[in-house]
């Protein structure tokens, strides 16, 4: 029976395992990304001039973008599983070997620079695979906001302790190798409960208008980091990463910001994410006003990391939700990260970091106004999952309208909606239902597990209660 208490406990256990799986996957990738980018930013140290090293910094962004786009393009190719696994092992092998070289080689050599440029597309390709997996898990009803928030927080703390606070200690390569092996294992292993290709094709189609708004909002959020992204990077190169260093204690401000999005990101089908990001961005507008002394510099660094957490959390969670409803989900799942690097390049080309403080503040205020307008047009301020009846008296919906509302509210696939109908409208056992739907009992149980995960119910009676609540508009 679906309302058996023991079955509810099993479902909860599977849900917990899934969250741990995703948190570990994302934490491992983010830690490797942080560590490798930190090593890559030192390319050309003592070998190239300040101006050329800044060009290298922007070149690295281009190579990362190429890696993300390369994965999305390869995902569309009609090749077999063996070829895909072979390419995956090749990219992972090149990345691992390159990271080992960056840990051991002389940073002032041309060889170090060449290896850095070779590693970045691999980093982007691995990132594309991770982002695609997170998007598919989001469509399957997993709590990816929690995994993103906790995963990023773990990665930030590990990098700060191993690579920043303690320097290049022997522990850093050990943890990097452990993270790489963990990432490889999880990335190449398909977890239970993931949506099949047929079910992904049934995902609700994402309107092009919604994608356009998401891109514009994400790009505008990145305006709040573009000033410091260029300004601090220029200062730290000029000072040899001593007087000015973006990798310092204010980086830990990322942790509470990421945890904020972990707490609100999965509520109301993710509708709190844009509002939370907007609130953080409002605080970050002060980054162009507070300047002139050491205290203001460190406070600005804290604001800088607040804006980073807001923009990253926004584009990760929004595009993960939208990607599976597009024709190119692997590309759109990584769109936020691609836009991030594109905006870094654009800010460098426009020399935003050289603008006067008043001009930067004006750009930030204009950005806030644009975000509010775009969110209004896109319906981001509407926190009601479904419109309620206009009358004060609760209006009973028909069976079909109720099921349609639940399918929309919980992002159910067509097949999941059919299973839901059988569970809430009949008292038949699973063997009878599976025969009526022409599926195996185990397949039916997988659908039920996904229904529990998406709706938050733990038993069959819980689904029935949700059905009646939806029917009355409660």
């Amino acid at each position: 029976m679906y309302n058996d208490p023991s079955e509810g406990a099993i479902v909860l256990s599977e849900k917990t395992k899934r969250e741990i799986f995703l948190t570990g996957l994302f934490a491992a990738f983010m830690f490797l990304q942080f560590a490798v980018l930190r090593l890559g930013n030192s390319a050309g140290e003592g070998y190239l001039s300040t101006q050329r090293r800044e060009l290298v910094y922007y070149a690295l962004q281009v190579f990362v973008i190429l890696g993300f786009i390369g994965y999305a393009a390869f995902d569309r190719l009609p090749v077999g599983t063996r070829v895909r696994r072979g390419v995956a092992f090749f990219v992972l092998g090149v990345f691992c070997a390159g990271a080992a070289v960056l840990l051991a080689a002389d940073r002032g050599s041309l060889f170090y620079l060449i290896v850095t440029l070779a590693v970045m597309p691999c980093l982007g390709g691995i990132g594309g695979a991770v982002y695609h997996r997170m998007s598919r898990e989001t469509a399957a009803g997993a709590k990816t906001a929690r995994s993103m928030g906790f995963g990023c927080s773990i990665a930030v703390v590990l990098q700060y302790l191993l690579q920043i606070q303690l320097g290049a200690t022997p522990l850093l390569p050990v943890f990097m190798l452990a993270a790489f092996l963990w990432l490889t294992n999880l990335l190449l292993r398909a977890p239970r409960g993931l949506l099949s290709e047929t079910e992904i094709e049934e995902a609700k189609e994402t309107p092009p208008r919604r994608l356009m708004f998401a891109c514009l909002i994400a790009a505008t959020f990145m305006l709040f980091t573009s000033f410091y992204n260029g300004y601090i990077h220029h200062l730290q190169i000029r000072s040899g990463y001593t007087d000015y260093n973006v990798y310092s204690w204010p980086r830990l401000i990322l942790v509470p910001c990421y945890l904020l999005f972990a707490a609100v990101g999965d509520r109301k089908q993710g509708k709190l994410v844009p509002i939370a990001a907007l609130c953080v961005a409002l605080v970050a507008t002060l980054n162009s006003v507070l300047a002139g002394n050491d205290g203001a510099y460190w406070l600005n660094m804290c604001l800088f990391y607040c804006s980073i957490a807001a923009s990253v959390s926004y584009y990760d969670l929004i595009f993960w939700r939208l990607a599976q409803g597009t024709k190119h989900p692997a590309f759109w799942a990584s769109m936020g990260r691609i836009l991030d690097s594109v905006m870094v390049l654009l800010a460098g080309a426009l020399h935003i970091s050289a603008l006067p403080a008043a001009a930067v503040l004006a750009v930030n205020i204009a950005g806030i106004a644009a975000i509010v307008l775009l969110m209004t047009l896109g319906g981001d301020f509407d926190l009601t999952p479904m419109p309620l009846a206009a009358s004060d008296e609760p209006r009973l919906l028909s069976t079909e309208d109720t099921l349609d509302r639940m399918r929309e509210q919980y992002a159910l696939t067509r097949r999941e909606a059919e299973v839901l109908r059988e569970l809430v409208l009949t008292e038949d056992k699973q063997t009878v239902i599976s025969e009526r739907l022409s599926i195996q009992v185990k397949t039916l149980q997988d659908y039920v597990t996904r229904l529990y995960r998406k709706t938050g119910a733990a038993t069959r009676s819980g689904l029935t209660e949700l059905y009646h609540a939806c029917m009355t508009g409660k």
Side-chain angles (χ1 to χ4, degrees), residues 279-327:
C279 293
V280 176
L282 285 169
V283 177
T285 56
L286 295 174
N287 68 3
S288 59
V289 178
L290 303 171
N293 55 61
D294 289 341
Y297 170 78
W298 294 115
L299 181 56
N300 265 293
M301 286 282 286
C302 294
L303 294 173
F304 166 62
Y305 280 114
C306 284
S307 63
I308 286 181
S311 59
V312 170
S313 298
Y314 174 83
Y315 68 60
D316 277 353
L317 300 179
I318 293 299
F319 283 110
W320 288 350
R321 288 184 178 275
L322 298 178
Q324 295 305 320
T326 66
K327 295 182 179 179

Side-chain angles (χ1 to χ4, degrees), residues 358-371:
V360 175
L361 179 61
V363 171
N364 285 346
I365 293 176
I368 288 290
I371 289 174

Side-chain angles (χ1 to χ4, degrees), residues 223-235:
L223 285 175
F224 301 105
T225 64
S226 59
F227 171 73
Y228 263 94
N229 205 29
Y231 181 66
I232 295 179
H233 185 75
H234 175 75
L235 289 179

Side-chain angles (χ1 to χ4, degrees), residues 145-146 148-149 256-266 272-278 280 306 309-311 313-314 317:
R146 295 180 187 175
M148 185 279 299
C257 291
Y258 280 131
L259 292 180
L260 167 65
F261 286 91
V264 305
D266 293 314
L272 294 178
V273 171
I275 296 177
L278 177 60
V280 176
C306 284
S311 59
S313 298
Y314 174 83
L317 300 179

Side-chain angles (χ1 to χ4, degrees), residues 150-395:
F150 286 113
C152 285
S153 298
I154 293 170
V156 168
V157 172
L158 279 178
Q159 189 208 20
Y160 180 77
L161 293 178
L162 298 174
Q163 194 175 23
I164 300 173
Q165 184 70 16
L166 301 178
T169 68
L171 288 176
L172 179 60
V174 172
F175 273 80
M176 287 183 65
L177 178 60
F180 174 78
L181 295 176
W182 180 249
L183 174 68
T184 302
N185 177 50
L186 296 183
L187 196 58
L188 298 179
R189 177 165 58 91
R192 290 183 59 191
L194 190 65
L195 288 183
S196 66
E197 294 298 332
T198 302
E199 291 167 321
I200 288 175
E201 290 177 359
E202 295 174 355
K204 182 180 178 182
E205 183 179 354
T206 301
R209 182 171 175 266
R210 183 69 182 94
L211 290 172
M212 179 187 69
F213 282 154
C215 289
L216 292 175
I217 292 172
T220 308
F221 270 132
M222 293 166 204
L223 285 175
F224 301 105
T225 64
S226 59
F227 171 73
Y228 263 94
N229 205 29
Y231 181 66
I232 295 179
H233 185 75
H234 175 75
L235 289 179
Q236 66 183 9
I237 288 178
R238 191 173 63 184
S239 68
Y241 292 85
T242 55
D243 297 333
Y244 301 95
N245 194 340
V246 70
Y247 299 100
S248 52
W249 67 262
R251 189 173 183 82
L252 293 177
I253 297 297
L254 287 169
V255 174
C257 291
Y258 280 131
L259 292 180
L260 167 65
F261 286 91
V264 305
D266 293 314
R267 298 178 180 273
K268 294 185 178 295
Q269 294 82 53
K271 287 197 170 186
L272 294 178
V273 171
I275 296 177
L278 177 60
C279 293
V280 176
L282 285 169
V283 177
T285 56
L286 295 174
N287 68 3
S288 59
V289 178
L290 303 171
N293 55 61
D294 289 341
Y297 170 78
W298 294 115
L299 181 56
N300 265 293
M301 286 282 286
C302 294
L303 294 173
F304 166 62
Y305 280 114
C306 284
S307 63
I308 286 181
S311 59
V312 170
S313 298
Y314 174 83
Y315 68 60
D316 277 353
L317 300 179
I318 293 299
F319 283 110
W320 288 350
R321 288 184 178 275
L322 298 178
Q324 295 305 320
T326 66
K327 295 182 179 179
H328 306 285
F331 175 75
W332 285 103
S334 305
M335 176 52 66
R337 184 62 181 83
I338 294 173
L339 284 174
D340 194 341
S341 294
V342 169
M343 290 300 292
V344 169
L345 296 174
L346 181 61
L350 297 178
H351 300 288
I352 291 181
S353 60
L355 293 176
V360 175
L361 179 61
V363 171
N364 285 346
I365 293 176
I368 288 290
I371 289 174
V372 172
L373 176 61
L374 291 170
M375 285 185 176
T376 302
L377 295 175
D380 288 325
F381 294 116
D382 180 13
L383 300 183
T384 305
M386 290 296 294
L388 299 177
S391 172
D392 293 335
E393 293 292 331
R395 180 175 62 90

Side-chain angles (χ1 to χ4, degrees), residues 8 23 40 87 91 113-114 140 194 209 218 227 234 241 263 320 347 367 376 401 412 423 427:
T23 301
V87 172
V91 173
L113 175 60
I114 294 174
L194 190 65
R209 182 171 175 266
F227 171 73
H234 175 75
Y241 292 85
W320 288 350
T376 302
D401 288 342
L412 305 180
L423 295 178
E427 295 182 357

